[in-house]
Amino acid sequence: MVVLVTGANGQLGQAIQSIVGKYPSIDFVFCTSAELDITNNENCKTIFETYKPQFCINAAAYTAVDKAESEPEKAVAINVTGAKNLAEVCKSHDTILLHVSTDFVFDGLATKPYSEEDLPNPTGVYGQTKLDGEKAIQQSWKKHYIVRTSWVYSQFANNFMKTMLRLASERDSLSVVSDQIGTPTNAVDLAEALLKIITSCHDESVRLSGVEVFGIYNFSNEGQCSWYDFAAEIFKVNNISIKLNPIPSSAYPTPAKRPAYSVLDKSKIKEVFGIEIKNWEESLKKF
């Protein structure tokens, strides 16, 4: 089995690379954006002709939420055109596509966890391009899994946890937003979930479960917290003493509006694929 992974140098791409030893029956092909530019259709065709993957994990994305407001063309190129290119080349090779999306497709006005059935309503360029990318895939190729996730962090690449640790080494106090609620997701847990989907694809019990297997799924760790709570736990786990101040979003204006509430309901992915999901605090301590 050949699994092609785009965005190999990104956070999720590196997380997948960290666990390949657990999957000796899979031949992984990791492509950086320099090796596989998903915005280039011909480049996509060449790579797929060379490796002929049975599965493609699209871990390539434009994720600079605030920067997207000032360079929407770049966000569209990667998150929409790139997703469409991959879906089309996957169709021509009968390759199953696993595409990672985001909680930012929602407006954050909900009062209970978002399910896959809830209507998206993005409030910024980043969320809109991710939603448009989902639609492009749905219109291009039926054999897809779109996995929406949230607040991804890890020991790899740039993320909130690493930013907090860096700032704590430079300052005596920090102010962190306390009125945005969501769920941190460890990139390695997300990587494991994607590979669980792949290894389950030929499982008869999954096919006969009566649930439409292809489609949209939510995945994050369990539980919920604010960014302030997340920061406090990061410092606690790392035995860092720092003065941490909770602030409202209004005190820290950003170019892109963040969802005030973006907790995801994981019932579907747990039911269909039997995935056991760790609580976010447990996963933070583990990694």
Side-chain angles (χ1 to χ4, degrees), residues 100-285:
V100 180
S101 193
T102 174
D103 57 326
F104 272 72
V105 299
F106 297 114
D107 56 22
L109 300 179
T111 53
K112 64 180 180 65
Y114 285 101
S115 79
E116 293 83 355
E117 306 303 317
D118 286 318
L119 286 177
N121 184 33
T123 60
V125 171
Y126 167 68
Q128 187 64 56
T129 61
K130 291 299 288 183
L131 178 60
D132 291 344
E134 290 183 7
K135 291 177 179 177
I137 290 167
Q138 291 167 325
Q139 291 163 5
S140 301
W141 178 223
K142 65 180 181 181
K143 293 185 180 180
H144 66 260
Y145 297 96
I146 293 168
V147 180
R148 291 173 177 158
T149 191
S150 65
W151 297 24
V152 181
Y153 73 94
S154 65
Q155 63 267 51
F156 311 110
N158 297 316
N159 57 73
F160 180 80
M161 180 183 76
K162 290 176 79 172
T163 298
M164 289 297 104
L165 293 174
R166 176 178 57 80
L167 291 174
S169 70
E170 301 168 355
R171 304 180 188 178
D172 297 324
S173 68
L174 276 175
S175 296
V176 180
V177 169
S178 61
D179 58 357
Q180 293 172 21
I181 307 299
T183 309
T185 303
N186 191 289
V188 176
D189 289 338
L190 174 58
E192 294 271 19
L194 295 172
L195 288 164
K196 173 73 171 177
I197 291 173
I198 287 173
T199 55
S200 298
C201 266
H202 305 294
D203 185 331
E204 188 177 22
S205 65
V206 171
R207 292 202 308 274
L208 299 179
S209 64
V211 179
E212 179 58 52
V213 176
F214 292 121
I216 297 174
Y217 291 83
N218 292 334
F219 181 87
S220 69
N221 284 113
E222 294 283 21
Q224 64 181 55
C225 64
S226 69
W227 289 109
Y228 169 83
D229 299 326
F230 187 20
E233 192 68 17
I234 289 167
F235 296 139
K236 178 183 170 185
V237 167
N238 287 280
N239 296 312
I240 292 171
S241 179
I242 186 170
K243 181 172 169 49
L244 194 60
N245 307 304
I247 58 169
S249 299
S250 58
Y252 187 71
T254 54
K257 184 185 176 188
R258 266 68 174 170
Y261 180 89
S262 61
V263 180
L264 299 172
D265 182 328
K266 279 80 66 174
S267 303
K268 182 180 175 185
I269 201 167
K270 289 191 284 189
E271 177 187 349
V272 176
F273 296 106
I275 292 174
E276 295 181 9
I277 305 178
K278 298 184 190 75
N279 185 275
W280 73 267
E281 293 108 324
E282 178 193 348
S283 201
L284 179 64
K285 285 172 187 165

Side-chain angles (χ1 to χ4, degrees), residues 4-7 31-44 48 56-62 77-87 89 99:
L4 174 70
V5 182
T6 69
C31 291
T32 66
S33 57
E35 295 160 336
L36 172 52
D37 174 4
I38 64 172
T39 69
N40 184 321
N41 201 24
E42 289 306 313
N43 192 182
C44 292
F48 272 67
C56 173
I57 298 176
N58 183 25
Y62 181 104
I78 298 169
N79 292 344
V80 186
T81 306
K84 186 173 189 288
N85 286 341
L86 283 176
V89 74
H99 175 77

